[in-house]
Amino acid sequence: MTINTLSQDGVQRQQMPCLTKMERMIISMQDPDMGIKLRNQRLLITVIPHAMTGIDIVEWLIKKFSISDEEALHIGQLFVKYGYIYPLKEPRNLILKADDSPYRFQTPYYWMSTRWPASELDYAIYLAKKNIRKQGELIEYEKECYNALHKRINHTWDFVVMQAREQLRASKQRRKADRIVLECQEQAYWLVTRPPPGTLDNIDYGPERRTMNTRVQLNAEFYKKEIEHNRISLARNRVKSSICLESYVKYCEQYQPHDPIMQGCLPSNPWITDDIMFWNMNSEVVAVPTKLRVECWSFSFMELLNDPMGRKEFLTYLEKEFSAENLCFWQACEDVRHGETSKIPEKVDEVYKQFLSPGASRWVNIDSKTMEKTLEGLKHPHRFVLDDAQMHIYFLMKKDSYPRYLKSELYKNLLARAIVPQETKKSVFPFMRRQRHSSPSPALATQTGEDDGKAKNSNSVKSNSGTASRL
Amino acid sequence: MGKDECKTMLDALNKVTACYRHLVIALGSTSDSQNLREELKKTRKKAQELAVANRTKLTTLLKDKSISKDDRAEYERLWVLFTSSMELLEVDMKRSLEIGQDFPLKVPTRHLIQTGMTGSTTTVAARAMSVQNMKYEADASIDTVDLKELETEIAQVDQMMEEMEMKVQVAPWAVEAKQEAGAELKSTVSVGNSSVGVISICEEEPKETVEGETGLMKVFAGIIFTAVLLIAGILGYLVINL
């Protein structure tokens, strides 16, 4: 038995959604009234129906979907690229020309499908058939493929030969016009699925999964789970795109002044001017913060908490209000969540002793239901056991303390004190090149001194591209 | 002898597989019709009968421990042929189920793909069934009724192939094919010649891109044409003079 490319497990490959959409469009093209106008193709003596010109296809697409010329041409190209329509004049050139070059539809068996990838056996049979028909005159790359396949699936080669002969005999039973169509179809299919070297491969099947162990039993249990899963997905909370787009626009507007790429950063972008003042001024512990940074804290509570300086300021404020234990509790919970697994039990214990137990020194105010749940969970501590309590305290701070902080004297004073850094003056002479140094890479630092000197020289020439690449 | 019987049965299965594939290719296109669905059904049933017969024969032969090494190698080769045939058949059956479901026949707005094939597939089916003429006796709802049967048959084939894998211990990669590369070019008298004339029409288009070949063909054709003309002229002259 050859290695089967079909996934015979319960896990069936799905057809790619774009292909399903294309199939639907192709079927709608077949409509006798609203579909594409078809003509006959004349080949010396035989007449084959159902040919259409490229311009017909483009015009139909424009009319049906009310789209522009370019878009229709692009969609038409996709059809040809994926093999749903094949050209009759130049079969190897899989593009759509918006003139009177003829095209024809591909039969459903040969449609591009991720569910049924073409197997080597099929390709071998096709090449053998072509070999017979052309009396050995295959194209270069086909000859190579043929020889490669002969080596690879040598054990079924007899079958390949037998089947090729039989398929040719079967097709001889049809009349001439049909035979021509059959050959053109098959050739088009293989041009798409096994493109000649140098052309793009149109489809990516994704990795093959041959896990025979995950054979799914299609019994009642399985279907019950599926139903449950689908029911939950249906009940999922959805936001209308009009609403979330509005908030997205608002977010962008609010943060635009803070974006160093959109607004430029003061004093100067360190990546460009090699001047690290910007980072120094925005480092974690600084005597005087920048105005932008302090403004950012007013955008959302999370911004305030994420900035270490903001957190410290907030803590000072809370101490004045005698509710500092909330923030400490929140921080301790974060530590549990993001810390080492082995230390979790002791950390949780600490938290309990300090914040949650009835006579604790820094007792936090949590409602009874959450407290019960947390105390239950504490018996088997894990990383997320304090999540509910943490969330409760977080919202408490957010709704209560945070707005008051923003209105407080502390914050306003800080905002007044915050500085707006001066933009560094550009050099007076516009053509003077600034000295640029790149920092020595860590790899070089471990080498001997002589190498250092050489490397620095070569690096300074490439410093511009080097720093850009480190961006 | 066992081997010859096997070979003839395998040939028959091979023939039916090829015809079945040919019929499935026509599904969903303008050659599709109720007759085609019936042909598919009949061919499929025949294929299954042959498959079962082949399988029983081959399994008995392979289980026999007292055969010589050459014989065993030969049977293993036949076994590989059989399994490859079954693979193709299985894929085609699954695909025919899929396409059959997508293109039902008895709907008010039938949208079969207009592929340019308009002839009937009767002769192919007749070849598969080894009869002179096909008789059509199915009723109008064959396309939906048949699909259910098809599903059960696919399940059967799946099961059969699993059993085969389990029961018969044949290593396919150890089998060596008798035919070498290009073997199909020999003894192609009946197949090659008659199709060459037809194919050249279809291939004229791709040959445009292959330079030099068309030139040669044209020169060759020109030479033959002039030679024929000359001979005709000479004969005519002789006839007139004699």
Side-chain angles (χ1 to χ4, degrees):
Chain A
M1 184 119 45
T2 53
I3 297 175
N4 210 342
T5 51
L6 287 179
S7 59
Q8 282 177 313
D9 331 330
V11 191
Q12 279 250 298
R13 292 190 104 112
Q14 293 297 322
Q15 176 79 315
M16 262 164 71
C18 67
L19 297 179
T20 337
K21 287 181 197 164
M22 287 165 83
E23 283 168 19
R24 275 209 298 266
M25 277 174 76
I26 292 279
I27 293 179
S28 69
M29 281 189 200
Q30 310 301 323
D31 195 314
D33 311 310
M34 302 288 293
I36 290 197
K37 194 171 65 162
L38 296 171
R39 310 148 202 268
N40 292 334
Q41 180 200 17
R42 290 195 158 274
L43 286 175
L44 293 185
I45 340 151
T46 34
V47 172
I48 309 179
H50 306 150
M52 52 201 166
T53 56
I55 192 82
D56 275 343
I57 301 174
V58 173
E59 276 173 9
W60 184 86
L61 283 168
I62 294 177
K63 203 168 79 159
K64 171 118 186 176
F65 297 107
S66 316
I67 50 179
S68 68
D69 239 339
E70 293 167 332
E71 200 178 339
L73 189 63
H74 175 71
I75 295 184
Q77 296 276 18
L78 285 177
F79 280 129
V80 180
K81 201 171 86 139
Y82 279 95
Y84 288 97
I85 294 178
Y86 59 95
L88 300 172
K89 268 273 153 64
E90 287 171 35
R92 292 182 193 281
N93 202 3
L94 291 174
I95 54 173
L96 180 76
K97 290 196 228 173
D99 51 19
D100 58 357
S101 15
Y103 293 87
R104 192 175 278 135
F105 290 113
Q106 180 69 282
T107 185
Y109 186 81
Y110 284 140
W111 278 354
M112 171 76 74
S113 175
T114 36
R115 293 192 72 195
W116 310 106
S119 71
E120 289 195 329
L121 192 57
D122 290 329
Y123 193 43
I125 295 175
Y126 167 67
L127 286 177
K129 278 203 283 192
K130 204 159 179 199
N131 211 9
I132 296 176
R133 284 198 331 245
K134 291 216 172 164
Q135 307 284 314
E137 289 298 315
L138 289 176
I139 309 180
E140 262 315 309
Y141 82 92
E142 282 179 351
K143 270 204 197 116
E144 284 170 22
C145 289
Y146 182 84
N147 294 331
L149 280 169
H150 177 74
K151 250 195 285 182
R152 240 184 294 161
I153 52 171
N154 187 278
H155 53 279
T156 51
W157 200 254
D158 293 339
F159 176 70
V160 168
V161 170
M162 273 167 62
Q163 184 66 211
R165 289 196 184 127
E166 271 306 325
Q167 285 190 6
L168 281 176
R169 283 184 203 133
S171 63
K172 258 176 58 184
Q173 305 292 322
R174 312 280 309 257
R175 45 177 241 238
K176 187 145 79 151
D178 287 348
R179 253 183 289 164
I180 298 178
V181 171
L182 275 171
E183 276 150 27
C184 292
Q185 275 177 358
E186 206 180 359
Q187 185 188 41
Y189 174 68
W190 287 110
L191 278 173
V192 170
T193 353
R194 293 277 191 269
T199 51
L200 282 174
D201 204 355
N202 289 323
I203 193 155
D204 177 18
Y205 288 100
E208 283 278 344
R209 298 199 186 114
R210 297 176 208 275
T211 47
M212 297 288 269
N213 302 330
T214 58
R215 194 176 270 274
V216 176
Q217 272 280 23
L218 294 178
N219 54 11
E221 271 306 309
F222 172 72
Y223 285 121
K224 279 197 198 127
K225 270 199 271 186
E226 287 272 301
I227 293 172
E228 191 55 38
H229 177 256
N230 288 332
R231 207 166 48 78
I232 295 175
S233 321
L234 274 176
R236 218 172 53 192
N237 215 358
R238 283 167 176 76
V239 183
K240 275 164 92 164
S241 53
S242 55
I243 296 175
C244 68
L245 284 174
E246 261 180 47
S247 50
Y248 188 61
V249 170
K250 257 197 267 177
Y251 174 90
C252 290
E253 279 172 2
Q254 197 180 42
Y255 277 87
Q256 201 204 3
H258 298 255
D259 191 311
I261 294 178
M262 301 295 288
Q263 201 71 11
C265 59
L266 307 166
S268 62
N269 192 332
W271 296 116
I272 296 176
T273 55
D274 274 346
D275 175 25
I276 58 171
M277 263 244 286
F278 176 69
W279 289 331
N280 288 337
M281 293 178 84
N282 284 311
S283 63
E284 277 192 23
V285 187
V286 131
V288 187
T290 54
K291 210 177 199 82
L292 278 179
R293 186 177 179 181
V294 181
E295 271 175 14
C296 203
W297 297 345
S298 67
F299 292 162
S300 86
F301 189 37
M302 216 52 218
E303 288 279 354
L304 178 64
L305 286 181
N306 281 338
D307 191 348
M309 189 169 174
R311 215 187 275 193
K312 214 164 50 108
E313 292 288 319
F314 192 53
L315 190 61
T316 1
Y317 173 72
L318 285 179
E319 273 164 7
K320 290 218 175 85
E321 302 250 317
F322 301 108
S323 42
E325 64 270 7
N326 287 341
L327 187 57
C328 294
F329 175 66
W330 184 86
Q331 269 184 280
C333 291
E334 282 287 290
D335 196 27
V336 170
R337 266 172 63 140
H338 299 291
E340 280 185 40
T341 315
S342 52
K343 299 220 175 92
I344 287 180
E346 51 182 82
K347 280 191 190 163
V348 169
D349 220 23
E350 273 284 320
V351 166
Y352 174 72
K353 284 205 207 91
Q354 262 201 323
F355 298 100
L356 294 174
S357 63
S361 53
R362 314 172 87 180
W363 190 76
V364 285
N365 193 359
I366 308 179
D367 67 303
S368 52
K369 210 168 79 166
T370 324
M371 180 66 96
E372 264 179 49
K373 207 163 154 215
T374 315
L375 290 177
E376 266 299 308
L378 284 183
K379 298 190 185 133
H380 308 282
H382 58 93
R383 195 175 284 274
F384 305 106
V385 69
L386 296 166
D387 260 10
D388 293 317
Q390 185 189 15
M391 190 66 59
H392 181 89
I393 294 292
Y394 175 82
F395 280 119
L396 194 66
M397 289 196 286
K398 181 172 168 183
K399 292 217 175 81
D400 194 23
S401 319
Y402 176 61
R404 279 189 283 129
Y405 171 67
L406 290 181
K407 297 193 196 113
S408 70
E409 287 301 318
L410 212 61
Y411 180 70
K412 289 199 177 122
N413 285 343
L414 194 60
L415 196 55
R417 268 195 304 136
I419 52 169
V420 179
Q422 285 279 335
E423 194 179 345
T424 49
K425 284 210 205 90
K426 296 220 170 68
S427 55
V428 181
F429 296 106
F431 299 113
M432 187 167 88
R433 290 201 67 213
R434 296 199 54 180
Q435 275 294 316
R436 294 186 204 272
H437 325 274
S438 78
S439 45
S441 95
L444 294 173
T446 57
Q447 281 181 5
T448 53
E450 6 175 351
D451 285 2
D452 251 343
K454 259 192 266 171
K456 269 221 178 89
N457 283 337
S458 59
N459 269 351
S460 61
V461 175
K462 296 187 254 161
S463 65
N464 204 10
S465 56
T467 46
S469 67
R470 262 179 240 138
L471 244 168
Chain B
M1 210 196 16
K3 250 190 258 181
D4 292 334
E5 259 184 67
C6 264
K7 281 211 184 119
T8 35
M9 285 210 294
L10 266 176
D11 280 340
L13 180 62
N14 188 34
K15 184 171 78 168
V16 175
T17 313
C19 293
Y20 189 66
R21 171 160 282 204
H22 192 97
L23 294 172
V24 179
I25 290 177
L27 249 187
S29 69
T30 33
S31 305
D32 199 354
S33 67
Q34 194 169 312
N35 288 349
L36 176 67
R37 304 288 169 118
E38 200 181 333
E39 286 160 14
L40 276 168
K41 177 171 158 183
K42 291 196 170 144
T43 321
R44 198 177 68 225
K45 294 229 186 304
K46 179 112 196 261
Q48 279 199 294
E49 287 168 30
L50 281 170
V52 170
N54 263 305
R55 186 199 59 167
T56 33
K57 192 100 183 73
L58 275 171
T59 27
T60 40
L61 281 172
L62 279 170
K63 282 212 166 122
D64 189 3
K65 301 282 184 192
S66 63
I67 47 177
S68 66
K69 261 191 84 174
D70 289 340
D71 271 353
R72 190 166 178 88
E74 179 62 19
Y75 290 143
E76 288 191 353
R77 191 182 74 88
L78 293 177
W79 179 256
V80 168
L81 293 183
F82 173 57
T83 46
S84 317
S85 201
M86 286 312 295
E87 263 180 51
L88 280 195
L89 205 60
E90 195 193 345
V91 173
D92 283 340
M93 279 167 73
K94 288 186 174 155
R95 294 202 75 171
S96 80
L97 177 66
E98 202 189 338
I99 303 178
Q101 282 170 338
D102 287 336
F103 291 95
L105 290 176
K106 291 287 171 276
V107 282
T109 49
R110 210 160 90 169
H111 289 319
L112 295 175
I113 308 295
Q114 287 152 307
T115 53
M117 297 225 287
T118 43
S120 79
T121 42
T122 337
T123 36
V124 178
R127 186 191 164 80
M129 308 294 292
S130 315
V131 293
Q132 273 297 100
N133 294 311
M134 292 284 292
K135 292 197 201 66
Y136 295 103
E137 23 187 55
D139 58 1
S141 62
I142 184 172
D143 51 341
T144 37
V145 165
D146 190 35
L147 288 177
K148 292 201 187 58
E149 281 185 36
L150 179 52
E151 280 185 45
T152 41
E153 282 178 29
I154 291 177
Q156 278 176 6
V157 169
D158 269 341
Q159 211 188 5
M160 183 165 92
M161 291 187 65
E162 253 191 78
E163 278 177 31
M164 278 164 30
E165 256 184 275
M166 296 297 139
K167 287 197 185 143
V168 179
Q169 306 295 330
V170 172
W173 48 88
V175 170
E176 269 189 43
K178 269 191 176 162
Q179 319 256 22
E180 69 283 1
E184 61 268 10
L185 292 174
K186 306 169 187 143
S187 74
T188 53
V189 177
S190 60
V191 188
N193 293 344
S194 50
S195 325
V196 163
V198 176
I199 285 50
S200 62
I201 297 171
C202 182
E203 301 294 354
E204 252 166 30
E205 280 91 53
K207 269 197 177 160
E208 271 166 45
T209 57
V210 183
E211 291 167 340
E213 276 199 28
T214 38
L216 253 174
M217 291 287 282
K218 278 199 188 130
V219 166
F220 198 49
I223 290 174
I224 293 184
F225 186 58
T226 41
V228 168
L229 264 181
L230 266 173
I231 294 172
I234 292 171
L235 280 172
Y237 182 69
L238 287 173
V239 165
I240 293 174
N241 279 359
L242 284 177

